[in-house]
Amino acid sequence: MTRWLTCTPLALATAILVLAGGPAIGIERSLQAQTAALTVPYTQFTLPNGLNVILHRDTSVPVVTVNVWYHVGSANERAGRTGFAHLFEHVMFEGSMHVPEGSFDTWLEAAGANNNGSTNTDRTNYYIDLPANALELALFLESDRMGFLLDDKAPGKVDGQRDVVKNEKRMRVDNQPYGQAFVELSSLLYPPAHPYSWPVIGSMEDLSAASFEDVARFFRTYYVPNNASLVIAGDIDIASTRKLVEKWFDDVPRGKPVPPLEPLSAVLDGVKKKTITDRVQLPRLYMAWHTPGLLKPGDATMDIIANLLSSGKNSRLYRRLVYDLQIAQDVAAFQQSQALGSNFVIIATARPGQSLDRLQAVIDEELDTLRKAPPAAREMTRALNQTEASFYRNMERVNGKADQLNAYFKAAGTPDYFEKDLARYRAVTAAEVQAAVDRYLPKDRRVELSVVPGDQK
Amino acid sequence: MKRALILFGVLAASITLAAQQPDRRQPPPIGPAPSLKLPAIQKHKLSNGLAVWIVEHHEVPLAQVNLIVRSGSAADPIGKYGVGSLTAAMLDEGAGTRSSLDLADAIEFLGANLSTTSSFDFSAVRMSVPVSKLADALPLMSDVALRPVFPVAELERMRKERLTGLLQARDNVAALIQLAFPRIVYGPTHRYGTSANGLPATIESLTVDDLKAFYRAHFRPDNATLLVVGDLTPAAALPMLEKAFGAWRSEGMAALVAEVPTAPQLGKRQIYLVDKPEAAQSQIRIGWVGVPRSTPDYAVLQVLNTVLGGSFTSRLNQNLREKNGYAYGASSGFDMRLSAGPFLATAGVQTDKTAEALREFFNELDGILSPVPADELAKSKNYVALGFPGEFETTGDMARKLEELVVYNLPDTTFSNFVPSVTGVTAADVQRAAARYVQPEKMAVVVVGDRKVIEGPIRALNLGPITIVPIDDLFR
């Protein structure tokens, strides 16, 4: 969930067909072209208040990006207060003690900047992209909302953003075809007490129930410098940027240590099957499994499997369902990597007149094929090439690089994990793919969710 | 003495440290804006006359190669709407000696990223590739652009995919408003009135011969430009480009120039309501016929729109989202094409606040006709001008900016002149442009939403006559 979408009033109807159409194909870099090790030089230090700071210089264009991660997401919520981490994310843009309401965005836009934030199960991120000459403005604003968010106007700000977030939910979930499916998937995959069992955006009831006291407690518990990391990347001078960071963030008070989440077990001991209805023309099938957590052994293998199944015209599921048999309008397989445990999800939409049973039978055939024999070497190389390409695509922009530095810092404990991350993928063997399909994608322990035409629910 | 001096130094340092506590009473000053130094566009021609523009960009070992054909869906013959779009989409479904699957495999294996696309104004084959693989990848790209096969079986597959996509559009309020709004503003007979992708009946009717005819008429070197951005020099790139594209010849008569006539402007405000029972939000679009890309008011309109609905702090977003909480976001924009594309203001609003939201839309559309206060104008000009360098960050970004010059036949000085022309915009300029291009009393109001909840309150607003548009009409 993000605070706001880039306004796209001019999108053509083309988008409809693109969304419904074929897979994204192609990559930007081949294995053969890979020679030099991929390193991103950085300077890292920790302020006395515990704030982790990572600086990276890249002078290709005169822009800088300021990227802050708070190590808190919807997994830190409790039942009855779901959607809270994301609602709070919205409040962070509404001004702080020294920044009048509305000024956060107004001052940044006047400097030519763009900014946004997003929340997922495990973290909340914020970024400001701005011309290099305005860096100090961004540091002032970030430090002020980190250190001095709450003032006497805060309760009103929460109410205002509560309505905005409810409309975000209406737009992305309630009014979106198949929008309820991921809400259902979460509750089918996880027991009610598990923090991944509710959606990041939460429920309307919980959004209404969130009080200002909740906001204040949440801020004091999680939005503390010792639970955050700050990346500044772009056209910067390292030494003077460090001085500016010290100037603006040194007086932000340290908070109590944030205890790590207790890993809760989530297992499926059989097939959980459910059918829901929605106001849609075509039925859609969702299959989901529990898989190894982010950066854990097996996580990269599942990414490669997702690629083999649904990336490009020659991928196994796309080719069978969409290209050859033409019984599906689309198919997607992906590993949703998360800190407390990941999910592997396959989604396919039936063409008019086609049944979900038939789609599921073909998907099972293809999974069985992979269970019985390892993929060919060329197929593995193609998948690896595509995986590498998405790395480089993400690194072409300085804000993509900054967010990745923060992601690695949180998940791996070091910002420059690029080469090690790539090495995980290069090390995946065809035999491991075969073994992982057998171990992690069993036919008798999974979620099977069908969304069929009807009234919503 | 020395010790004392050192002591004094320590003391001074600690005093300095205390004095360095930041002054938060006002935001820190901003330094002088960095200037964007754009690299030169090096213009060449291949032996067949194909124009080649090269921009050196040595940050990463990538090359971006875009072949732009100056014809798109605007060139669709009447009755064959969608043929240009389908032609572009079919280019890589079999080309040269390779089948669709073989082509995809070869491109993926090389590490290239190749896409084919089109809009109303142009068609394109775009490729991103490591420079070390450019020589191997260019023949694949030239097969796709120069030697497409248009196999019947692939056309049938694409046809089914597109028809199913249109079926799915019925589920989605955002998709429905994208079909409804242009149809109401331009009418179903103007090319801008229906989707560039065509409608079910035209998609059903298109044949391989239609695609080949469109291809032959428009995909020719005298109607195309090759844009190359990346870690290379003309001396290195030109021989490869000559080898891949130099033998391309134009057939028959001169390239067809597609001209879309300027649509008649709307004359009075009317409301159009598309019923979507149980919709959790209403999709609203308010607008009329806007301006072509060639408008001399381009910079003024960028600033005007930034004030009105082109940024987060714009009036529409502040009102509908931040002040009233009716919507997750609200925005506006001029869609500038070769001919006059639409101006529109848009939001998805909660169903029970649809009428209130419409009232606020018109408050802001009326409000932009009054002089814009100096600080708001300055903020918007800065936002447009200072954010401009960020549009040139990657090889892909740079190539897209060059496409604008080619497609809209703009001078090379367009980018270097842009910032000064934005800086020069005055409140009077904005007011003059608003009076001409934003006339709320003549605009169409299109709403897709739950009629039983929203119709009564909308009628009570008395904005104008209401027409109910059946969903089926959007697909005819």
Side-chain angles (χ1 to χ4, degrees):
Chain A
M1 298 299 122
T2 59
R3 171 191 167 232
W4 68 300
L5 294 173
T6 309
C7 303
T8 50
L10 310 179
L12 301 169
T14 318
I16 306 162
L17 291 166
V18 170
L19 283 172
I25 59 161
I27 58 171
E28 288 174 347
R29 202 155 183 332
S30 69
L31 181 63
Q32 290 87 341
Q34 175 65 33
T35 46
L38 179 61
T39 58
V40 177
Y42 68 95
T43 300
Q44 185 181 0
F45 56 94
T46 306
L47 296 185
N49 60 17
L51 179 67
N52 298 286
V53 185
I54 297 146
L55 308 179
H56 165 66
R57 180 172 156 85
D58 170 351
T59 59
S60 48
V61 268
V63 300
V64 292
T65 188
V66 174
N67 182 294
V68 181
W69 276 40
Y70 290 93
H71 302 177
V72 56
S74 64
N76 300 85
E77 295 164 358
R78 58 194 167 90
R81 286 292 182 277
T82 66
F84 198 81
H86 170 245
L87 173 61
F88 187 87
E89 175 213 317
H90 278 242
V91 177
M92 282 284 278
F93 296 87
E94 297 300 298
S96 43
M97 207 175 286
H98 308 95
V99 181
E101 190 171 354
S103 295
F104 188 93
D105 289 296
T106 305
W107 290 345
L108 283 173
E109 285 190 9
N114 276 304
N115 74 92
N116 209 341
S118 75
T119 309
N120 67 22
T121 50
D122 301 329
R123 62 98 184 106
T124 310
N125 77 354
Y126 299 88
Y127 70 79
I128 301 173
D129 294 334
L130 71 175
N133 60 308
L135 172 63
E136 192 169 358
L137 173 65
L139 298 180
F140 160 65
L141 291 169
E142 280 297 358
S143 67
D144 209 62
R145 62 180 176 177
M146 181 184 286
F148 314 97
L149 183 76
L150 302 178
D151 59 17
D152 55 349
K153 295 208 183 68
K157 296 173 191 170
V158 177
D159 283 336
Q161 290 306 305
R162 193 195 311 273
D163 288 340
V164 173
V165 170
K166 285 181 175 178
N167 270 312
E168 183 176 355
K169 178 169 152 38
R170 287 184 188 101
M171 192 182 85
R172 289 171 184 265
V173 181
D174 304 346
N175 218 26
Q176 201 57 238
Y178 312 98
Q180 297 296 331
F182 278 98
V183 180
E184 290 289 340
L185 268 191
S186 304
S187 68
L188 290 166
L189 277 165
Y190 296 98
H194 195 287
Y196 289 170
S197 67
W198 53 79
V200 172
I201 197 140
S203 72
M204 287 295 193
E205 298 73 40
D206 290 357
L207 289 171
S208 299
S211 68
F212 175 65
E213 286 67 39
D214 292 324
V215 171
R217 194 181 320 119
F218 192 86
F219 177 69
R220 282 192 288 266
T221 307
Y222 296 111
Y223 275 66
V224 290
N226 43 307
N227 194 43
S229 45
L230 164 69
V231 173
I232 303 169
D235 190 2
I236 57 170
D237 173 76
I238 297 288
S240 60
T241 302
R242 179 174 183 151
K243 283 206 180 72
L244 284 176
V245 169
E246 287 165 351
K247 172 181 172 185
W248 288 104
F249 287 88
D250 264 349
D251 63 343
V252 174
R254 176 190 277 270
K256 288 184 190 144
V258 178
L261 281 170
E262 296 291 324
L264 289 166
S265 74
V267 288
L268 291 164
D269 47 16
V271 175
K272 271 197 182 175
K273 224 175 155 70
K274 186 168 183 181
T275 299
I276 61 170
T277 54
D278 198 359
R279 293 184 297 267
V280 292
Q281 308 288 322
L282 300 172
R284 182 177 283 178
L285 173 69
Y286 295 75
M287 298 160 84
W289 294 262
H290 289 296
T291 48
L294 178 65
L295 297 188
K296 297 280 190 315
D299 178 41
T301 312
M302 301 315 294
D303 276 332
I304 294 287
I305 292 170
N307 188 292
L308 295 174
L309 291 177
S310 74
S311 181
K313 277 183 204 157
N314 293 286
S315 64
R316 293 174 179 226
L317 291 179
Y318 184 85
R319 183 165 173 174
R320 271 302 293 291
L321 291 166
V322 183
Y323 191 90
D324 287 341
L325 296 170
Q326 301 185 25
I327 59 177
Q329 175 71 357
D330 52 56
V331 61
F334 55 91
Q335 162 84 342
Q336 188 178 323
S337 296
Q338 293 170 291
L340 302 179
S342 306
N343 312 127
F344 192 86
V345 184
I346 297 176
I347 307 173
T349 310
R351 281 272 168 83
Q354 301 297 331
S355 76
L356 294 185
D357 286 347
R358 174 128 194 252
L359 264 53
Q360 184 168 322
V362 174
I363 291 168
D364 275 328
E365 274 172 37
E366 290 301 325
L367 291 177
D368 278 340
T369 306
L370 261 180
R371 244 185 290 270
K372 284 183 196 131
R378 183 180 173 87
E379 203 181 352
M380 288 295 290
T381 306
R382 204 177 57 209
L384 180 60
N385 284 355
Q386 290 183 306
T387 303
E388 291 198 347
S390 65
F391 259 81
Y392 294 108
R393 213 175 283 133
N394 198 27
M395 289 180 63
E396 255 205 293
R397 280 178 214 285
V398 75
N399 69 356
K401 223 181 338 179
D403 205 56
Q404 192 61 61
L405 286 163
N406 245 332
Y408 286 142
F409 176 74
K410 178 175 184 292
T414 173
D416 186 10
Y417 199 71
F418 293 91
E419 187 61 27
K420 285 194 175 118
D421 196 2
L422 269 177
R424 293 193 306 143
Y425 293 93
R426 293 192 184 118
V428 174
T429 65
E432 280 171 356
V433 165
Q434 184 187 0
V437 171
D438 194 50
R439 177 169 174 192
Y440 295 117
L441 306 180
K443 209 185 277 192
D444 57 352
R445 281 171 289 126
R446 67 186 181 194
V447 168
E448 296 170 13
L449 173 69
S450 301
V451 183
V452 299
D455 288 335
Q456 205 166 55
K457 272 261 168 152
Chain B
M1 195 66 196
K2 202 169 185 183
R3 176 175 296 250
L5 266 177
I6 291 166
L7 264 175
F8 182 74
V10 170
L11 198 64
S14 65
I15 288 167
T16 313
L17 195 66
Q20 265 179 359
Q21 290 303 306
D23 179 358
R24 294 184 178 272
R25 285 170 301 180
Q26 54 197 3
I30 291 169
S35 62
L36 175 70
K37 289 176 200 70
L38 288 173
I41 303 169
Q42 306 180 61
K43 296 189 175 180
H44 299 270
K45 273 191 187 329
L46 300 185
S47 61
N48 58 346
L50 177 63
V52 178
W53 295 9
I54 298 176
V55 170
E56 296 184 37
H57 192 285
H58 296 286
E59 298 295 337
V60 282
L62 284 173
Q64 178 76 38
V65 184
N66 294 3
L67 182 74
I68 300 304
V69 173
R70 280 182 223 80
S71 302
S73 299
D76 287 355
I78 291 168
K80 295 196 188 300
Y81 287 176
V83 67
S85 155
L86 200 52
T87 300
M90 283 284 292
L91 293 175
D92 63 348
E93 298 289 345
T97 58
R98 287 182 175 85
S99 72
S100 170
L101 291 177
D102 290 344
L103 201 51
D105 181 69
I107 290 163
E108 287 164 14
F109 198 81
L110 263 188
N113 181 354
L114 186 144
S115 68
T116 67
T117 187
S118 72
S119 72
F120 280 113
D121 295 329
F122 68 100
S123 305
V125 179
R126 300 187 179 116
M127 183 172 74
S128 166
V129 63
V131 170
S132 62
K133 294 291 164 194
L134 182 60
D136 298 327
L138 279 174
L140 294 168
M141 180 178 176
S142 69
D143 272 352
V144 166
L146 275 48
R147 289 172 288 279
V149 175
F150 301 113
V152 177
E154 301 294 350
L155 173 60
E156 293 311 317
R157 185 176 60 80
M158 295 286 286
R159 190 198 307 281
K160 261 198 226 173
E161 195 171 286
R162 291 196 162 204
L163 289 171
T164 310
L166 279 173
L167 185 66
Q168 290 184 297
R170 290 168 179 265
D171 298 341
N172 189 329
V173 286
L176 289 172
I177 196 96
Q178 280 184 21
L179 290 171
F181 178 77
R183 193 176 184 95
I184 285 158
V185 171
Y186 289 91
T189 56
H190 190 279
R191 186 62 196 99
Y192 289 172
T194 51
S195 163
N197 289 307
L199 291 169
T202 60
I203 293 172
E204 292 274 15
S205 74
L206 296 173
T207 65
V208 164
D209 285 345
D210 291 327
L211 271 56
K212 285 183 173 168
F214 186 92
Y215 178 83
R216 270 197 306 274
H218 301 289
F219 281 70
R220 2 177 338 141
D222 55 351
N223 195 34
T225 301
L226 202 50
L227 304 172
V228 182
V229 181
D231 186 14
L232 38 69
T233 60
L238 282 168
M240 285 188 254
L241 298 170
E242 177 67 34
K243 203 171 155 197
F245 292 95
W248 193 17
R249 293 282 176 267
S250 303
E251 287 176 36
M253 52 185 158
L256 295 174
V257 179
E259 277 186 26
V260 173
T262 301
Q265 187 55 283
L266 303 182
K268 67 181 170 93
R269 184 159 63 207
Q270 296 196 66
I271 294 138
Y272 301 85
L273 180 51
V274 181
D275 188 18
K276 186 81 171 72
E278 309 296 329
Q281 282 188 333
S282 300
Q283 277 287 336
I284 295 173
R285 280 194 183 183
I286 300 170
W288 65 342
V289 177
V291 295
R293 178 61 180 81
S294 57
T295 174
D297 289 319
Y298 181 78
V300 177
L301 289 175
Q302 298 303 319
V303 175
L304 182 162
N305 189 59
T306 301
V307 174
L308 178 62
S311 73
F312 190 85
T313 69
S314 68
R315 294 176 178 187
L316 282 170
N317 195 58
Q318 288 301 304
N319 182 331
L320 284 139
R321 170 183 163 127
E322 295 292 303
K323 184 176 153 211
N324 285 304
Y326 297 155
Y328 178 50
S331 61
S332 63
F334 287 87
D335 186 358
M336 297 183 190
R337 306 173 185 166
L338 280 167
S339 183
F343 162 80
L344 56 90
T346 187
V349 305
Q350 66 189 77
T351 302
D352 60 353
K353 300 290 183 195
T354 303
E356 288 90 334
L358 285 174
R359 193 185 58 221
E360 294 308 326
F361 262 109
F362 280 101
N363 279 339
E364 299 305 345
L365 289 167
D366 291 338
I368 197 69
L369 302 172
S370 304
V372 175
D375 57 340
E376 196 182 8
L377 182 68
K379 175 195 73 179
S380 299
K381 286 162 62 173
N382 281 353
Y383 182 66
V384 176
L386 297 173
F388 191 61
E391 294 179 32
F392 296 84
E393 188 171 356
T394 67
T395 52
D397 292 340
M398 175 67 82
R400 294 294 183 100
K401 298 302 284 185
L402 294 178
E403 286 181 7
E404 279 181 54
L405 301 187
V406 169
V407 173
Y408 300 108
N409 200 22
L410 303 171
D412 291 359
T413 49
T414 301
F415 301 138
S416 50
N417 287 345
F418 181 66
V419 170
S421 57
V422 168
T423 312
V425 171
T426 66
D429 293 334
V430 173
Q431 205 181 350
R432 175 188 53 78
R436 180 163 172 197
Y437 302 115
V438 184
Q439 296 180 21
E441 75 284 0
K442 293 181 182 171
M443 289 180 176
V445 180
V446 185
V447 185
V448 179
D450 190 348
R451 182 182 172 188
K452 70 177 182 300
V453 182
I454 64 178
E455 185 179 351
I458 292 177
R459 279 194 192 281
L461 276 181
N462 280 321
L463 287 173
I466 297 185
T467 306
I468 305 298
V469 182
I471 281 187
D472 284 345
D473 278 8
L474 306 180
F475 295 90
R476 289 202 183 102

